[in-house]
Amino acid sequence: MAARGKKRVAERSSEIKAKRAKLNKNKTSQAVKNTKKVTSTAENEEKTESCEQSNIISVPPPVSSGKWKNKERVLVFSSRGINFRTRHLMKDLKTMMPHSKADTKMDRKDKLFVVNEVCEIKNCNKCIFFEAKKKQDLYMWISNAPHGPSAKFLVQNVHTLAELKMTGNCLKGSRPLLSFDPKFDKEPEYALLKELFTQIFSTPQYHPKSQPFVDHVFTFTIADNRIWFRNYQIIEEDASLVEIGPRFVLNLIKIFQGSFGGPTLYENPHFQSPNMHRRILRLAMGAKQKEKLLVKESRKEKQKEEQEVMMPDVTDDVFVTPAEHKPLHIEREPQKTKKKLKLTELKKRVMKRKGPR
């Protein structure tokens, strides 16, 4: 029995070894075939690449290969009752800033502190909020949510991209250069605004929606106690600037310590509210009308004074003949009434019938 068991074990081991040898032979044959295919495909690919290089231009990989560290997001939205021009201005700002986000319009009854909650929901650090009043005045808030500071501006002379129809053009999502007037470094209120503008309008480096190109410039200049915003394209050939748009003017009202409120850090003494400006225009128009009336009256008085008093001429009465003297009151006979006439006729008839006595 033991000999039989040993024979069976030896037979099984020999069978297993034979099977393993067959498997190894099959694997080696497949590997040789695959190597032949790979060499043939590589040769074909080299041939096709050499043909394609003559016709197709290869696109190089992107220059930026870093990490997106500055994850600042800007919320751009408005209140209800805005004009069509402000709506187009908002769209232009969103296209220029790839790191911006949008939201639905805020109700007029809601207070401005609600904007901080909306920024937290949208995961935004900065905010540009457009507030419309009386369907004609536009105010813009720029804030660092939720701690502040924030600034309030009156937006004037708005011109959008579609309205301007400028010749310049730039890539969508490209990073801009920010150029500031030297006055921003001289005064503290403008220095604070410069820091806010740089954090809001500059697109973060290596942003997924941005492109690694710099082909346009945002300029902020101070003139007439206002901030003038312009957007220019950089032309590669001459390094000259061509305006793209949009353009608008910001008239600073106040700078607050908190976000959309808090103690005021700075108040513009040169600011004049649009209601007061319209009132002054109305008073000026009324003063002009009063001046016109006074000029008319003075002309009439001068015309009366200028009329010369003519002396009566003696020879004018030579050919005048005196008129006949007529009484002022003409005496007329009293008219007899019909009743009296009838009575006299009856008396005459009676006297004829009776005869003389």
Side-chain angles (χ1 to χ4, degrees):
M1 294 292 287
R4 287 178 184 176
K6 287 178 181 179
K7 285 180 181 180
R8 287 176 182 174
V9 171
E11 287 175 359
R12 284 178 184 175
S13 62
S14 62
E15 286 176 0
I16 290 164
K17 285 178 182 179
K19 286 180 180 179
R20 284 178 180 174
K22 285 180 180 179
L23 290 169
N24 290 324
K25 286 179 182 179
N26 292 326
K27 285 180 180 178
T28 52
S29 63
Q30 285 179 359
V32 170
K33 288 178 182 178
N34 289 326
T35 52
K36 287 180 181 178
K37 287 180 180 178
V38 168
T39 53
S40 63
T41 53
E43 289 174 357
N44 293 324
E45 283 178 357
E46 286 176 358
K47 289 178 182 178
T48 53
E49 283 179 359
S50 62
C51 295
E52 286 176 355
Q53 281 177 0
S54 61
N55 297 323
I56 300 168
I57 299 166
S58 62
V59 179
V63 179
S64 63
S65 60
K67 290 183 180 180
W68 177 33
K69 294 180 182 179
N70 183 14
K71 296 187 178 181
E72 286 190 352
R73 300 176 183 87
V74 182
L75 182 66
V76 182
F77 73 116
S78 67
S79 65
R80 294 194 179 276
I82 60 169
N83 199 0
F84 70 96
R85 191 171 287 174
T86 60
R87 189 171 65 250
H88 288 295
L89 178 64
M90 283 173 57
K91 287 181 181 178
D92 295 341
L93 289 174
K94 287 172 190 174
T95 53
M96 287 192 300
M97 296 189 293
H99 61 289
S100 64
K101 285 189 175 183
D103 194 25
T104 56
K105 293 178 183 177
M106 198 178 75
D107 197 6
R108 291 180 184 176
K109 294 179 182 178
D110 296 335
K111 293 183 179 179
L112 292 173
F113 292 103
V114 181
V115 181
N116 295 322
E117 296 177 2
V118 177
C119 291
E120 288 180 3
I121 292 164
K122 290 284 182 179
N123 195 13
C124 293
N125 300 326
K126 305 291 184 293
C127 180
I128 298 174
F129 178 68
F130 290 94
E131 187 181 6
K133 289 184 179 179
K134 294 187 177 181
K135 296 182 179 180
Q136 55 185 347
D137 302 329
L138 180 65
Y139 297 93
M140 187 172 79
W141 286 83
I142 292 174
S143 72
N144 183 14
H147 302 293
S150 61
K152 187 180 180 182
F153 301 94
L154 176 69
V155 186
Q156 297 172 335
N157 300 329
V158 178
H159 297 283
T160 59
L161 277 168
E163 185 182 355
L164 287 172
K165 295 180 181 178
M166 295 290 183
T167 56
N169 192 7
C170 66
L171 290 169
K172 187 178 180 182
S174 60
R175 298 182 68 206
L177 290 172
L178 300 180
S179 70
F180 291 93
D181 196 88
K183 290 182 182 178
F184 278 95
D185 298 326
K186 293 179 181 178
E187 297 179 3
E189 61 270 12
Y190 288 122
L192 193 147
L193 291 174
K194 180 182 177 181
E195 188 64 28
L196 272 174
F197 287 142
T198 51
Q199 291 181 11
I200 288 170
F201 286 97
S202 62
T203 58
Q205 195 175 10
Y206 307 123
H207 193 275
K209 290 184 180 179
S210 66
Q211 294 184 3
F213 302 104
V214 177
D215 59 352
H216 63 287
V217 185
F218 292 161
T219 61
F220 297 90
T221 56
I222 297 169
D224 195 16
N225 297 316
R226 290 172 176 82
I227 299 167
W228 301 68
F229 176 83
R230 295 287 184 273
N231 184 17
Y232 296 98
Q233 182 198 357
I234 303 168
I235 298 171
E236 294 179 359
E237 297 174 356
D238 305 330
S240 59
L241 299 176
V242 178
E243 190 173 356
I244 305 169
R247 57 163 69 171
F248 53 88
V249 181
L250 299 174
N251 192 357
L252 179 63
I253 301 171
K254 284 183 181 180
I255 299 173
F256 299 95
Q257 187 177 355
S259 179
F260 295 97
T264 57
L265 298 175
Y266 175 76
E267 187 175 357
N268 189 6
H270 304 287
F271 174 72
Q272 189 178 20
S273 65
N275 292 327
M276 192 69 187
H277 181 66
R278 285 191 288 269
R279 183 170 176 272
I280 289 166
L281 289 174
R282 274 190 250 109
L283 290 171
M285 291 293 289
K288 282 183 180 179
Q289 289 181 355
K290 286 180 181 178
E291 284 179 1
K292 286 179 181 179
L293 291 171
L294 289 170
V295 168
K296 284 182 180 180
E297 289 177 358
S298 63
R299 281 179 183 174
K300 287 179 181 179
E301 289 177 357
K302 285 181 181 179
Q303 286 175 1
K304 287 179 182 178
E305 290 176 358
E306 287 175 357
Q307 287 179 358
E308 295 179 357
V309 180
M310 299 296 290
M311 296 298 291
D313 193 2
V314 181
T315 59
D316 289 339
D317 298 332
V318 174
F319 301 100
V320 175
T321 55
E324 294 181 357
H325 181 70
K326 293 181 180 180
L328 295 173
H329 298 286
I330 298 167
E331 294 180 359
R332 295 181 179 179
E333 293 181 356
Q335 293 180 357
K336 294 181 180 180
T337 58
K338 291 181 180 181
K339 289 182 180 180
K340 288 182 178 180
L341 289 169
K342 287 178 179 180
L343 289 169
T344 52
E345 287 177 356
L346 287 169
K347 284 179 180 179
K348 285 179 180 178
R349 287 176 184 175
V350 170
M351 289 296 290
K352 283 179 182 179
R353 287 177 184 175
K354 288 183 180 180
R357 292 183 181 178

